[in-house]
Amino acid sequence: MEDGVISRIDRRRFLCAGGASFAGLWLNGLWAAPNQPNLRMGVISDIHVGKEGDGNHRRLQRVLRYLDARRVDVIVIAGDIGCFSQPSEMRILADEWKRAFPDGKGCDGRPVERLFVTGNHDEMSGIWFPNEEARQKCYETSFSRDPGKWWKEIFGEDYEPVFRRKIKDYDFIGVHYGHEAELEPWMAQNGAALKGAKPFFFVQHLHPKKTCCQEGAACDNGVSTRVLSDYPNCFAISGHSHRPLADERNIWQGNFTSMGASTISALLWPSGCENSYVAIAQRKKFGKLHMPVLNPSGSHHGSYVEVWDNRIRIERIDFQCMRHLGPDWTLPVPLETHPDKPFVFAERGQPPRFAPSDKVKVIRRQGKTRDGEVEAQLVVTCPPAKIANPYGRVIYYIATPVDTASGKVFPARKVLARDYFMPIEHARTVPGEVVFGEGEFAPGSKIAFRMKAVNAAGQCSGDIQSEPIEIAGAK
């Protein structure tokens, strides 16, 4: 690490220690502070550290300093510590942890525990390379070749496929990537001790199937959902999908609670949209893509969690700008289950709406498809839809072309709102935009475009419409 970074950490630790001395008097003396949470937790995932000093490493430093200042008792990392299953990547995390928490202590002297599990990028070595020689070279030096050896050497802990930790009298269960099938026999043997009203925390890399982060998010084979459904007091944490924590579908409360941890590296998007990632296998369905992938604008998401006797409070944070992404998610304890409508916070939203004067506008431009083909384009825009409360932020805009002469309705096109991943104060200001190729329509036809806005619960605004535009190319 650069000397400047080390000195900043040391100065912060010195100042924090001074504050901690007063805090000790406050907590232990006459001025003992009431209403302290039982447990403070930092939750991050998919940090993808590659090399010393890279962008993800510098971001990790900043996040650890922030969580230390919030006085966390434990930091959870839900997998994908590195990129290519290299021990050198994990060493960066281990070394940074020692700098941030020497002797496992925070800036005020409190113990800080860690709960790390591996992800696919940690346990699968060669698959990221295009040829066999490169894959073999990667495997020869990989963590996945001997995880037991490397985990013990780097983190000083035994590598257990499924493991249990007790942190401030709360149980944490961790499952390393590739060992999901071992959860069921482990719980059959140990699960009785986890029953009851008190929450316990479960951490693995892949999302439990059909819980949080749906719409194309990779998940496990269903074993964790099946097993954990017998434990309504379970709070599951998972990573992998990189989905924004601004999306209320990132927390699910079916037969247990399941939260996606998002990522402090690069955000990824739900599938099925013109401006999201489209797998090669889906390109035939979409045909030409007229919009680039949505730019995440440097957003990096994680959470700070407080556990109280009667509630769990989750702050969703953009670690790039250090702002809250939306209102806190506060869950009552004992944890509630809602198997019929598990996206409880999404359901709190109300349908977005447009003002009576709002109109759709269409402009022509020369643009390029995602594959670089130059084409005449129609850029269809609308004012940002209004939201009644912050749980109902706009996730999608949908545009539907209509031939005004024949009445023919063309297939609708769905896009992600360009601001849906941003802190809530910014997520009310960016217009909706959908792009069509002008060649998709018959020359000389007159096309009007209807647009509507959709939130995380699928609640829609009413349509607003453009004036017809005559398609170029008629003889």
Side-chain angles (χ1 to χ4, degrees):
M1 187 193 297
E2 297 177 1
D3 290 343
V5 175
I6 293 174
S7 65
R8 284 197 298 273
I9 292 174
D10 289 344
R11 285 196 297 271
R12 179 196 59 78
R13 186 172 299 283
F14 176 79
L15 293 171
C16 188
S21 298
F22 178 77
L25 292 173
W26 183 274
L27 290 170
N28 299 314
L30 179 63
W31 306 299
N35 300 325
Q36 293 295 315
N38 300 331
L39 178 73
R40 295 182 175 96
M41 175 166 47
V43 178
I44 58 177
S45 188
D46 294 78
I47 62 178
H48 289 294
V49 171
K51 295 180 180 179
E52 185 86 18
D54 69 10
N56 288 347
H57 179 202
R58 293 194 299 272
R59 193 173 304 114
L60 173 66
Q61 294 170 343
R62 185 166 66 249
V63 170
L64 292 181
R65 289 198 297 268
Y66 172 85
L67 293 174
D68 187 19
R70 297 297 304 268
R71 305 298 199 272
V72 296
D73 303 298
V74 57
I75 293 177
V76 170
I77 299 180
D80 276 3
I81 294 165
C83 299
F84 302 112
S85 184
Q86 296 302 299
S88 60
E89 299 166 342
M90 294 187 173
R91 287 190 192 281
I92 293 172
L93 171 60
D95 291 345
E96 202 55 56
W97 183 270
K98 291 173 185 175
R99 293 185 185 108
F101 305 109
D103 300 319
K105 301 290 180 65
C107 62
D108 57 354
R110 76 195 183 285
V112 182
E113 304 286 349
R114 61 184 182 227
L115 198 294
F116 302 164
V117 298
T118 57
N120 56 312
H121 278 264
D122 306 314
E123 299 272 11
M124 301 169 69
S125 58
I127 66 169
W128 319 111
F129 294 94
N131 61 72
E132 182 58 35
E133 182 180 356
R135 288 193 290 270
Q136 184 59 32
K137 185 176 180 180
C138 180
Y139 174 71
E140 288 172 359
T141 59
S142 71
F143 168 85
S144 57
R145 192 171 185 180
D146 192 347
K149 169 194 169 184
W150 289 118
W151 196 260
K152 183 73 171 180
E153 183 175 313
I154 295 169
F155 294 115
E157 302 172 353
D158 290 334
Y159 179 88
E160 304 171 87
V162 184
F163 60 92
R164 179 181 180 182
R165 300 278 189 277
K166 183 76 81 171
I167 300 173
K168 294 200 75 174
D169 205 34
Y170 285 90
D171 283 302
F172 286 74
I173 311 301
V175 179
H176 289 301
Y177 179 83
H179 297 282
E180 294 81 7
E182 298 176 49
L183 174 65
E184 193 160 24
W186 191 95
M187 291 293 279
Q189 184 174 354
N190 300 283
L194 301 172
K195 294 277 190 179
K198 187 173 186 176
F200 72 91
F201 299 91
F202 171 83
V203 184
Q204 69 174 26
H205 185 56
L206 295 176
H207 299 310
K209 191 172 183 178
K210 294 184 178 180
T211 64
C212 61
C213 299
Q214 297 191 30
E215 287 194 305
C219 56
D220 67 12
N221 64 2
V223 62
S224 62
T225 302
R226 183 173 68 251
V227 172
L228 298 177
S229 290
D230 289 335
Y231 299 85
N233 58 324
C234 174
F235 188 110
I237 298 166
S238 53
H240 188 64
S241 70
H242 293 224
R243 297 289 173 80
L245 277 172
D247 191 329
E248 309 300 329
R249 295 169 297 181
N250 234 318
I251 190 163
W252 176 95
Q253 297 169 263
N255 292 320
F256 58 98
T257 299
S258 178
M259 182 182 80
S262 192
T263 177
I264 64 167
S265 57
L267 295 175
L268 298 177
W269 314 121
S271 60
C273 296
E274 178 80 10
N275 58 347
S276 62
Y277 296 93
V278 177
I280 293 173
Q282 294 181 299
R283 290 298 292 270
K284 185 176 180 181
K285 170 187 172 184
F286 278 82
K288 288 182 181 179
L289 293 167
H290 304 276
M291 301 178 71
V293 174
L294 182 64
N295 182 351
S297 303
S299 289
H300 311 285
H301 295 181
S303 56
Y304 163 80
V305 180
E306 291 181 349
V307 184
W308 301 71
D309 284 340
N310 65 347
R311 67 191 184 277
I312 296 175
R313 186 176 70 86
I314 302 153
E315 295 180 20
R316 300 174 279 164
I317 301 164
D318 186 334
F319 286 117
Q320 182 66 19
C321 59
M322 295 300 180
R323 289 180 175 272
H324 287 87
L325 291 160
D328 296 344
W329 289 332
T330 300
L331 287 63
V333 172
L335 293 170
E336 295 177 350
T337 60
H338 302 270
D340 294 329
K341 288 192 172 183
F343 294 105
V344 173
F345 290 96
E347 293 289 342
R348 289 185 183 177
Q350 296 177 20
R353 55 186 173 81
F354 290 106
S357 59
D358 286 343
K359 302 290 184 184
V360 176
K361 296 181 179 179
V362 185
I363 62 169
R364 286 188 168 92
R365 75 177 181 193
Q366 283 294 110
K368 291 183 179 180
T369 68
R370 196 180 296 183
D371 294 327
E373 178 185 341
V374 177
E375 66 172 0
Q377 292 183 335
L378 301 174
V379 182
V380 182
T381 63
C382 67
K386 308 298 188 295
I387 58 176
N389 65 45
Y391 296 108
R393 76 165 72 209
V394 176
I395 305 294
Y396 307 108
Y397 286 98
I398 298 176
T400 305
V402 180
D403 187 315
T404 58
S406 67
K408 177 182 177 181
V409 178
F410 292 84
R413 184 158 295 167
K414 182 169 74 171
V415 300
L416 293 161
R418 292 179 292 164
D419 54 3
Y420 98 96
F421 58 91
M422 297 179 183
I424 190 63
E425 62 264 31
H426 301 300
R428 306 170 188 258
T429 59
V430 180
E433 180 180 286
V434 187
V435 179
F436 292 81
E438 191 162 3
E440 297 179 67
F441 308 104
S445 60
K446 293 183 178 180
I447 304 296
F449 292 87
R450 300 171 185 162
M451 287 190 74
K452 61 184 174 183
V454 186
N455 66 19
Q459 299 166 335
C460 300
S461 69
D463 287 347
I464 56 176
Q465 186 166 311
S466 73
E467 296 296 326
I469 185 169
E470 185 170 345
I471 302 302
K475 295 181 180 180

